Amino acid sequence: MSLFSQIRKDRVPSHVAIIMDGNGRWAKSQGKDRVFGHFQGVESVRNSVRAAIKCGVKYLTLYAFSTENWNRPKEEVDALMELLVNTILNEVPSLNSQGIRLKFIGDRTSLPASCLAAILESEQRTSANDTLQLTLALSYSARWEMIEAVKKIVSSGVSVAEINDQMVSNAMETAGMPDPELLVRTSGELRISNFLLWQIAYAELFFTDKFWPEFDEELFYEAILSYQSRERRFGKTSEQMTQ
Ligand code: IPE
Ligand code: IPE
Ligand code: MG
C-alpha cells in the first residue's frame, strides 16, 4: 500500500526543496553516459511534482544547475542547457493542465539566450496558475544570491538600523515564498552544495541514497513522513512544544 495514506494532511510542509543529485552515477551504473542520467531525471521531476500536488505542497523548489556546474566539461553543460530548454517549453501545456506556475531563480545574465528566452516564455505562460509553484534553480548559488541581496539593500540607501530579517528575505531570489520546511537530497551526499543557505536556516533535512533518476512518488511520501515524525522546536524545549 502507498505511504501516501499515512501522511497527515494537516501537517504537510508548504515548501519542499530538493537537491536533485546522482544523475551521472546512476547513468554509469546502467553502463550509459552521464547525459542519459540527466534525461532520465526529467521523469523524476514529473514524479516529484505529482506527489507534491497530491500532498498539498504549495511550493516545490528544485536545484537543477548550480553556479559551480558551469565548470563541468563543455559537452555536458551544452547537453544540459539543451535538455532544459526543450523540457521547459515542451512541458508548458502539462504544467498548465495541472495548475503549476513555473518560476526560475539564479543568475539569468549567465544563461545562453535560448535558455533565457525559454524561461521568460514559460514563466509568462504559466503565471496565472496557483496549485503549485515549481521553482527551478538555474545557474544558482546561495552565496551569489546573498551577495546580490547585499548589493540591493546597500544601494537602496536604507539605514543600518532598518536592516532586519524580513528585509534580507525580501532581497533574496525567493522573495514572497515561505522558507522551505523540508530539504531533500538524493544520491547519498550529505552536503548542501551552496543551495538556499539563508532560507534553510530551520529546514528539516532528509537524505536518501537513491539516485535522482530513481526518485518516485513513494520516496517523496517517505520524505514527508520523516518530516512529520520530527519535533520542530525552534530553540525551545520539548516541554514547551507540548504545552
Ligand atoms: C545532478 O546529478 C544533476 C546536476 C548537478 C546538473 P549529477 O550530474 O551531479 O550526478 P552525479 O552526482 O555526478 O552522479
Ligand atoms: C548540486 O549537485 C547541484 C545540483 C543538484 C544542481 P552537484 O553534484 O553539483 O554537487 P557536488 O559537486 O556534489 O557538491
Ligand atoms: Mg552530483
Side-chain angles (χ1 to χ4, degrees), residues 36-55:
F36 179 72
H38 298 315
F39 272 83
Q40 204 56 39
V42 176
E43 192 55 39
S44 299
V45 171
R46 294 193 190 99
N47 292 341
S48 65
V49 164
R50 220 179 296 118
I53 291 177
K54 278 193 200 162
C55 292

Side-chain angles (χ1 to χ4, degrees), residues 20-25 34 69 72 185 187 189 191:
M20 310 184 286
D21 197 18
N23 294 352
R25 279 165 285 163
R34 296 179 54 83
N69 290 149
R72 292 191 177 192
R185 183 171 189 149
S187 89
E189 305 296 0
R191 57 175 169 266

